[in-house]
Amino acid sequence: MIGKLLQAIINLWIATTGRRIDLSKMGWLDGPTADNHLVGENFYKDYAAKEGLQVTENDPSIGLLQDFRILLDPADPKSQLLNPKIAEFYEHTGQYKLEVWSQWYSFIRPFARLLIQLVSTRMNQLNIPLEPLETSRGMGSEIIRLRDQNEANQLTCWLRKTLKTNRVVYAGFYPPALSQN
């Protein structure tokens, strides 16, 4: 009950402070959403089955984006300041291992614990480690492709889980305009 209330408050906050965008100008933000608010690792397979797509799991040869520059505004001089290693990471994500150490400030930890246990765990997404030792064995990072019958890439997905608890920290979709074919 408290988790549903927290989720309703979060949805209200997003509706109040968020802004609508024109997806024709920012198509890379258009992606699948979970009808039942459950994301996690099975969301990819469920979405693929619903859309008639094939799943290629953990493809270490690819990145999340084919060309990182598609996200940059050439008219913005700050985009020239981007460290090339960031683009390299997103274009070759499967070749990287993730190591994380997280620690919450003591006064925020109780609120984070409540939010993660009551909301994040239920939706199987954003299970940010509460204790530093939760990431002691590392973080899993899988690159998953969803392809159509012609082998064309429809979505590239990134699944990150803590290896010790196997809880999903992040499950994200990257549309074909950005991902590799």
Side-chain angles (χ1 to χ4, degrees):
M1 176 89 114
I2 295 172
K4 288 184 180 183
L5 177 62
L6 277 173
Q7 194 166 350
I9 291 169
I10 291 167
N11 290 339
L12 178 63
W13 174 63
I14 291 169
T16 305
T17 62
R19 63 184 170 99
R20 297 230 177 248
I21 59 160
D22 183 355
L23 288 177
S24 67
K25 294 179 182 172
M26 296 182 167
W28 58 275
L29 289 174
D30 189 15
T33 56
D35 296 330
N36 57 7
H37 302 289
L38 295 176
V39 185
E41 62 188 307
N42 292 326
F43 184 43
Y44 301 123
K45 294 173 186 167
D46 294 345
Y47 179 81
K50 185 172 108 180
E51 298 295 319
L53 300 172
Q54 303 164 358
V55 178
T56 304
E57 294 190 41
N58 206 14
D59 187 344
S61 67
I62 65 167
L64 296 170
L65 307 176
Q66 186 174 3
D67 185 354
F68 189 84
R69 291 175 295 180
I70 196 168
L71 298 179
L72 302 177
D73 179 359
D76 183 356
K78 290 180 184 176
S79 67
Q80 303 303 316
L81 300 175
L82 178 74
N83 186 325
K85 290 182 179 183
I86 294 171
E88 169 73 19
F89 172 77
Y90 278 94
E91 293 171 1
H92 304 283
T93 315
Q95 298 173 5
Y96 287 81
K97 286 188 161 219
L98 295 175
E99 291 187 25
V100 177
W101 182 268
S102 65
Q103 188 167 344
W104 292 86
Y105 288 107
S106 57
F107 66 94
I108 294 176
R109 187 176 306 151
F111 302 108
R113 182 176 307 281
L114 186 67
L115 183 65
I116 291 166
Q117 288 178 342
L118 296 177
V119 178
S120 298
T121 303
R122 280 185 345 142
M123 67 182 202
N124 201 14
Q125 167 82 309
L126 299 175
N127 288 295
I128 300 166
L130 291 164
E131 304 296 333
L133 290 178
E134 282 185 60
T135 57
S136 63
R137 293 189 186 147
M139 191 86 130
S141 177
E142 294 180 53
I143 307 298
I144 302 163
R145 283 184 171 174
L146 303 184
R147 296 177 177 241
D148 63 20
Q149 282 106 5
N150 298 323
E151 293 291 314
N153 193 41
Q154 295 302 307
L155 290 164
T156 299
C157 312
W158 194 13
L159 178 64
R160 290 182 278 178
K161 298 188 290 186
T162 56
L163 296 179
K164 184 175 182 177
T165 63
N166 205 37
R167 291 173 57 183
V168 175
V169 174
Y170 177 76
F173 286 85
Y174 295 79
L178 299 176
S179 53
Q180 296 177 345
N181 282 320

